[in-house]
């Protein structure tokens, strides 16, 4: 396999998974479908296993690393501002697309059979859910938002304490290196995991299930593609003054892994590697921006998807939406995106949007069946945005090594990204 690049290995896994999935579905090969399911589930389970220690130590170390960065407050403010700007642009395009294609108009579904999800998101859940009632529970229940909160608090306290906190920070750096190394071994299994995940999706979700929701599914993919192939390239070319084509060549392995794994946090080590080693972003700044983005920057899950889904649900249930409702969708998407990190992905963001608009939460039940298929492109969009913003900010602050950015992409065969800025990669 060393003869093939990591991107090609992922592509081969994707093709193999699709082929095996079709074989399992068309000829009803139960053992093959079960094998694909188990392989994909094991890969995702391995990724999730590392989430609590990875998120906590990454946030802790990234906050502490801000003291090594000149103008840290300005960099953090710029990063957050770009997060908000790109989220606002993404949701604006999504609303426009929803009004153009009307994804719920003419759709015939049994709305009486739809049930509201057991776990829903609300503004009260979001606010009260940030602070854990028990530190251990935050980790055992993998509440990412609470883990991020703990990491920020401990990191800020370590900065305030100063030299006395160095043993704790050194321990955090060591644990982070260990977790990233172990997770990198899991990531190297991604071609096999890809075959299992895609194969399971193909064998489980056929056209019979997708047909009633085909227009909505297409709208979600088109909306994400608009963000990926129009919004981000424009920002990179106009504000970042870098080549969008080169950017996508550099980050393609992370996008592929995000697509098949459906996990921004699970993709974090690879996201950070390509951001530093291929895009040339200063390592100290990247160690803050990338983990921060992996837990809060969700253009696919928090902007494109809830906007289109809210329009879909309103049209299916016959609820008219006016200008005020569309502005409210935009507000919820931009401000409430951090809720996506701590709960159950885009589903919670969707329930937050629907409850804010007063739309039936039973509409979520109509979309749950195809959520894994939609989650692939949503996560790919999330992770791409998490790499675009550090490039934009680093470029504006003179922290982007253009020699590294423009150099031929190097093979991703080693461990996690270095914690310091790498030397320029020779052409």
């Amino acid at each position: 396999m060393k003869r093939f690049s990591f991107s090609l290995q992922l592509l081969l896994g994707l093709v193999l998974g699709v082929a095996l999935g079709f074989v399992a579905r068309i000829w009803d090969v139960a053992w093959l479908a079960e094998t694909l399911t188990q392989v994909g589930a094991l890969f995702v389970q391995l990724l999730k296993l590392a989430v609590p220690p990875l998120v906590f130590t990454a946030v802790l170390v990234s906050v502490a690393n801000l003291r090594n960065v000149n103008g840290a407050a300005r960099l953090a403010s710029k990063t957050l501002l770009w997060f908000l700007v790109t989220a606002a642009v993404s949701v604006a395009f999504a609303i426009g697309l929803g009004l153009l294609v009307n994804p719920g108009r003419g759709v015939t579904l049994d709305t009486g059979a739809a049930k509201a999800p057991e776990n829903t998101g609300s503004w009260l859940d979001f606010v009260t859910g940030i602070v854990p009632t028990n530190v251990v529970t935050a980790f055992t229940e993998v509440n990412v938002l609470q883990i991020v909160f703990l990491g920020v608090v401990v990191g800020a306290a370590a900065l305030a304490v100063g030299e006395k906190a160095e043993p704790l920070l050194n321990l955090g750096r060591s644990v982070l290196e260990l977790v990233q190394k172990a997770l990198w071994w899991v990531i190297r299994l991604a071609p096999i995991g890809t075959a299992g995940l895609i194969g399971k999706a193909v064998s489980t979700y056929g056209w019979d299930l997708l047909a009633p929701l085909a227009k909505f599914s297409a709208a979600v993919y088109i909306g994400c593609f608009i963000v990926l192939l129009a919004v981000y390239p424009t920002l990179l070319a106009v504000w970042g003054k870098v080549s969008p084509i080169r950017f996508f060549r550099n980050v393609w392995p992370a996008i592929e892994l995000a697509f098949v794994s459906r996990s921004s946090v699970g993709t974090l080590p690879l996201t950070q590697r390509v951001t530093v080693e291929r895009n040339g972003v200063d390592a100290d700044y990247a160690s803050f921006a990338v983990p921060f983005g992996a837990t809060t920057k969700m253009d696919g899950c928090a902007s494109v998807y809830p906007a289109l889904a809210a329009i879909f649900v309103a049209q299916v249930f016959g609820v008219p939406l006016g200008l005020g409702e569309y502005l409210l969708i935009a507000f919820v998407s931009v401000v409430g995106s951090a809720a996506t990190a701590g709960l159950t992905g885009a589903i919670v963001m969707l329930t937050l949007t629907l409850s804010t608009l007063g739309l039936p939460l039973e509409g979520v039940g109509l979309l749950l069946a195809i959520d894994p298929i939609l989650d692939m492109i949503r996560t790919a969009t999330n992770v791409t945005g998490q790499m675009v913003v550090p490039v934009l900010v680093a470029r504006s602050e003179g922290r982007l090594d253009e020699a590294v950015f423009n150099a031929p992409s190097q093979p991703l065969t080693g461990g996690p990204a270095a914690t310091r800025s790498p030397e320029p990669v020779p052409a």
Side-chain angles (χ1 to χ4, degrees):
M1 293 296 288
K2 289 184 178 179
R3 296 180 181 178
F4 303 102
S5 68
F6 185 63
S7 296
L8 184 56
Q9 291 176 34
L10 286 173
L11 182 60
L12 291 174
L14 181 66
V15 173
L16 178 63
V18 170
L20 293 176
F22 272 117
V23 169
R25 183 170 183 83
I26 294 173
W27 285 285
D28 195 21
V29 185
W31 67 266
L32 180 56
E34 180 63 21
T35 300
L36 292 169
T37 299
Q38 293 301 324
V39 169
L42 181 59
F43 177 67
V44 173
Q45 186 176 339
L46 288 171
L47 286 176
K48 289 183 176 180
L49 185 64
V51 167
L54 176 66
V55 171
F56 178 76
T57 55
V59 173
L60 168 64
V61 172
S62 66
V63 172
N65 281 349
L66 286 176
R67 68 182 177 188
N68 299 324
V69 181
N70 294 328
R74 184 177 68 253
L75 282 170
S77 300
K78 272 192 174 183
T79 302
L80 181 58
L81 179 62
W82 273 113
F83 282 1
L84 297 176
V85 168
T86 50
V89 174
S90 299
V91 74
F93 274 101
I95 292 173
L97 179 64
L99 294 175
L100 180 65
V101 303
N102 295 308
R105 187 166 296 172
V107 174
T108 302
L109 293 170
D110 184 7
T111 56
K115 296 181 179 180
E118 294 181 4
N119 298 319
T120 61
S122 67
W123 289 106
L124 182 60
D125 293 332
F126 172 55
V127 174
T128 59
I130 294 177
V131 183
T133 56
N134 186 300
V135 173
V136 176
T137 303
F139 287 87
T140 57
E141 295 182 355
V142 195
N143 190 314
V144 179
L145 188 60
Q146 294 182 355
I147 296 173
V148 170
F149 173 80
L150 292 172
V152 170
V153 170
V154 175
L159 284 178
V161 170
E163 196 67 28
K164 293 181 180 179
E166 274 304 310
L168 173 64
L169 294 179
N170 288 332
L171 176 62
R173 295 185 186 104
S174 298
V175 172
L176 178 59
E177 289 291 330
L178 289 173
V179 173
Q180 284 187 317
K181 187 65 175 180
L183 191 52
W184 180 252
W185 293 338
V186 176
I187 289 173
R188 295 301 301 169
L189 299 174
I192 300 173
T194 296
L197 290 167
I198 296 297
K200 183 252 186 184
V202 172
S203 64
T204 304
Y205 307 106
W207 178 249
D208 292 341
L209 179 62
L210 288 174
L213 300 170
K215 186 189 290 188
F216 173 72
S217 302
V220 172
Y221 268 77
I222 292 171
C224 288
F225 280 132
I226 289 173
V227 175
L228 283 169
L229 304 178
V231 175
Y232 292 157
T234 300
L235 294 176
L236 289 166
V238 176
W239 277 274
K241 294 181 171 47
V242 296
S243 167
I245 295 176
R246 170 57 62 182
F247 170 84
F248 279 100
R249 283 181 184 173
N250 290 343
V251 305
W252 187 246
I255 296 176
E256 283 184 298
L257 181 60
F259 183 83
V260 298
S261 69
R262 298 165 47 207
S263 172
S264 294
V265 175
T267 313
L268 175 57
L270 186 57
T271 306
Q272 188 148 339
R273 281 205 64 187
V274 298
T275 299
V276 174
E277 297 178 11
R278 289 189 171 186
N279 282 342
V281 175
D282 174 75
D284 282 330
Y285 166 60
S287 69
F288 161 75
V290 176
F292 184 42
T295 52
T296 58
K297 176 62 178 161
M298 306 286 174
D299 288 341
C301 289
S303 296
V304 175
Y305 178 71
L308 288 169
I311 294 173
F312 170 83
V313 171
Q315 291 177 345
V316 168
F317 284 89
V319 180
L321 297 179
L323 177 61
E325 284 76 20
Y326 293 122
L327 292 175
L328 198 55
I329 290 174
F331 173 78
V332 173
S333 297
V334 173
V335 178
S337 61
T340 309
L343 302 166
T344 316
I347 296 301
V348 169
M349 191 63 203
L350 176 55
T351 60
L352 177 64
T353 305
L354 295 182
S355 61
T356 303
L357 293 171
L359 293 173
L361 292 179
E362 288 78 8
V364 178
L366 301 176
L367 303 175
L368 283 176
I370 61 168
D371 189 70
I373 299 239
L374 303 180
D375 199 27
M376 293 176 176
I377 191 63
R378 293 191 312 236
T379 308
T381 306
N382 295 343
V383 170
T384 305
Q386 293 158 17
M387 294 181 286
V388 166
V389 170
V391 170
L392 295 176
V393 175
R395 186 72 170 83
S396 68
E397 293 289 320
R399 293 179 175 273
L400 184 73
D401 191 328
E402 293 189 50
V404 173
F405 184 92
N406 294 311
S409 299
Q410 301 299 303
L412 296 171
T413 56
T419 55
R420 292 286 173 183
S421 301
E423 295 297 325
V425 179

